[in-house]
Amino acid sequence: MSTNTWFSALKKSAIAIVGAATMIGLASPATAEQPSGAPDGEVGTQVVGGTRAAQGEFPWMVRLSMGCGGALYAPQIVLTAAHCVSRTGANTSITATLGVVDLQSSSAIKVKSTYVHRSATYPTATGGDWALIKLASPVNNVPTLKIATTKEYDNGTFTVAGWGAASEGGAQQRYLLKAQVPFISDSTCRASGGSYGDLIPAAEICAGLANGGVDTCQGDSGGPMFRKDNAGQWIEVGIVSWGEGCARRGKPGVYTEVSTFAKDIAAAAARL
């Protein structure tokens, strides 16, 4: 899709960079403290129709201070969305919070960033809404989340999690929420109309309920969509990217297809 159309459909961040429109978030009684504005990134979305995750259930989940989510790819590297950051280069303005489901917990691990690598193909017709954030020090006591390297797991039912809004138009969350969403074929996704007609099949994957009600939302941008592999281990197959609104009927969530960019992600990580 065109750059303007794509930015207007971003639903996973509340404050979009490069003049993008503000997206709708999800509401909840428990609201996380909003991070101060940063030169890079935007505030993302949260899980609609979700339930609270247990402490330690998804230990590799990361909350980024610009309001996006992410996953610990390596002890010193977080995988997130390209639209959460503005450029590749040195960056010490981002704080990653790990190790907790409650963002206000005194047990939270907080580490500053030192460098950001933003996908060189974002935003283009090739797709590539992914980015890596290098941390100032490794987090060795938190498990990492491996990524899919083939399309073998790009199907079935996925789990999503985040601290974003819990309803369209709502606030960011204090506690990590989780939900399950089923795979939607590219043809069905494109038939949803609007921005979905410009879906990039080779680079994006759709998931959601036909009748809506469960979805990622503002504040969830950059967070992982994951499932179990054949060995029963969690594997990241998608990165929260965009969609029209949150949990609307016939308007699924769109995720970066991680397997498409797995080699590029690994190569970039090796250089950090």
Side-chain angles (χ1 to χ4, degrees), residues 147-158:
I147 64 172
T149 57
T150 71
K151 298 184 183 299
E152 179 181 4
Y153 301 111
D154 291 357
N155 58 72
T157 299
F158 309 112

Side-chain angles (χ1 to χ4, degrees), residues 10 17 22 111-112 115 132 156 175 195 255:
L10 285 176
I17 56 175
T22 298
V111 187
K112 281 286 191 178
Y115 194 89
L132 298 174
Y175 298 98
S195 301
Y255 303 78

Side-chain angles (χ1 to χ4, degrees), residues 225-238:
M225 178 173 74
F226 46 99
R227 53 159 290 178
K228 293 288 184 70
D229 64 12
N230 292 333
Q233 301 298 309
W234 290 115
I235 188 168
E236 182 171 2
V237 298

Side-chain angles (χ1 to χ4, degrees), residues 3-272:
T3 299
N4 289 340
T5 301
W6 191 88
F7 270 127
S8 68
L10 285 176
K11 72 170 182 178
K12 307 313 176 196
S13 291
I15 303 172
I17 56 175
V18 196
T22 298
M23 301 309 297
I24 301 170
L26 299 182
S28 167
T31 302
E33 180 182 354
Q34 291 300 302
S36 58
D40 284 313
E42 49 191 289
V43 176
T45 61
Q46 178 157 0
V47 175
V48 181
T51 58
R52 191 178 296 185
Q55 177 62 36
E57 188 172 6
F58 310 122
W60 21 257
M61 287 294 301
V62 179
R63 179 66 170 175
L64 299 169
S65 56
M66 78 284 274
C68 283
L72 194 64
Y73 172 82
Q76 204 167 347
I77 299 175
V78 174
L79 176 61
T80 187
H83 76 262
C84 287
V85 297
S86 64
R87 62 181 177 82
T88 292
N91 186 321
T92 59
S93 69
I94 302 169
T95 299
T97 300
L98 310 89
V100 295
V101 295
D102 178 1
L103 294 178
Q104 296 182 21
S105 171
S106 60
S107 301
I109 301 168
K110 295 181 181 291
V111 187
K112 281 286 191 178
S113 63
T114 61
Y115 194 89
V116 168
H117 175 88
R118 190 177 192 235
S119 169
T121 61
Y122 166 87
T124 70
T126 302
D129 190 10
W130 63 269
L132 298 174
I133 297 174
K134 184 176 182 179
L135 303 178
S137 59
V139 185
N140 294 315
N141 57 338
V142 174
T144 57
L145 177 61
K146 65 180 180 179
I147 64 172
T149 57
T150 71
K151 298 184 183 299
E152 179 181 4
Y153 301 111
D154 291 357
N155 58 72
T157 299
F158 309 112
T159 297
V160 290
W163 288 272
S167 62
E168 188 168 311
Q172 306 293 292
Q173 305 297 297
R174 170 179 173 177
Y175 298 98
L176 181 67
L177 297 185
K178 64 177 181 178
Q180 290 189 318
V181 287
F183 167 78
I184 293 178
S185 69
D186 292 337
S187 59
T188 298
C189 193
R190 298 184 91 168
S192 299
S195 301
Y196 297 92
D198 293 323
L199 181 79
I200 307 173
E204 297 173 325
I205 182 172
C206 299
L209 299 174
N211 292 327
V214 179
D215 195 8
T216 45
C217 192
Q218 278 62 58
D220 292 324
S221 284
M225 178 173 74
F226 46 99
R227 53 159 290 178
K228 293 288 184 70
D229 64 12
N230 292 333
Q233 301 298 309
W234 290 115
I235 188 168
E236 182 171 2
V237 298
I239 299 170
V240 179
S241 185
W242 63 275
E244 293 185 7
C246 302
R248 295 181 185 178
R249 181 185 179 90
K251 300 295 181 181
V254 181
Y255 303 78
T256 304
E257 191 170 79
V258 170
S259 59
T260 297
F261 303 100
K263 290 183 179 179
D264 294 332
I265 292 170
R271 295 192 297 267
L272 291 182

